[in-house]
Amino acid sequence: WEIADESANRHHTHEEQEAVWRSTLRFSLPGLGNIAANLHLRGDQVQLHLKTPDEETAALLRQHGIDLASALESAGARLDLLQVSRQED
């Protein structure tokens, strides 16, 4: 698991100092297999890139993207981008 605060790498005016975080997770889940997740959080906006070697898993993740967006919205965050792709390990 990697996490980085990218706020310091950006040039801000005094008024636009919002936190920018990037995190990378790799995990193996029963029934889904290997998944790599790259998460980019800027303020309340979330961008999520999911990669899996299995096309069925990729399709399932895409199918439930609306559920993820709803859960994030309930937590006070907005899913700005969800990208799911098939990628070999």
Side-chain angles (χ1 to χ4, degrees), residues 54-66:
D54 184 71
E55 185 56 46
E56 287 182 36
T57 297
L60 189 61
L61 292 170
R62 285 185 203 102
Q63 178 183 344
H64 290 282
I66 192 76

Side-chain angles (χ1 to χ4, degrees), residues 1 45 61:
W1 177 25
Q45 297 180 355
L61 292 170

Side-chain angles (χ1 to χ4, degrees), residues 7-54:
S7 301
N9 296 336
R10 296 170 39 106
H11 300 286
H12 298 284
T13 65
H14 181 68
E15 297 177 10
E16 55 177 63
Q17 293 183 5
E18 63 183 15
V20 179
W21 292 90
R22 179 187 51 80
S23 184
T24 301
L25 299 154
R26 290 174 189 82
F27 41 94
S28 182
L29 298 172
L32 292 177
N34 295 330
I35 298 173
N38 294 309
L39 176 78
H40 192 256
L41 178 62
R42 177 179 294 145
D44 67 345
Q45 297 180 355
V46 177
Q47 293 183 348
L48 184 59
H49 300 265
L50 302 173
K51 298 175 185 171
T52 178
D54 184 71

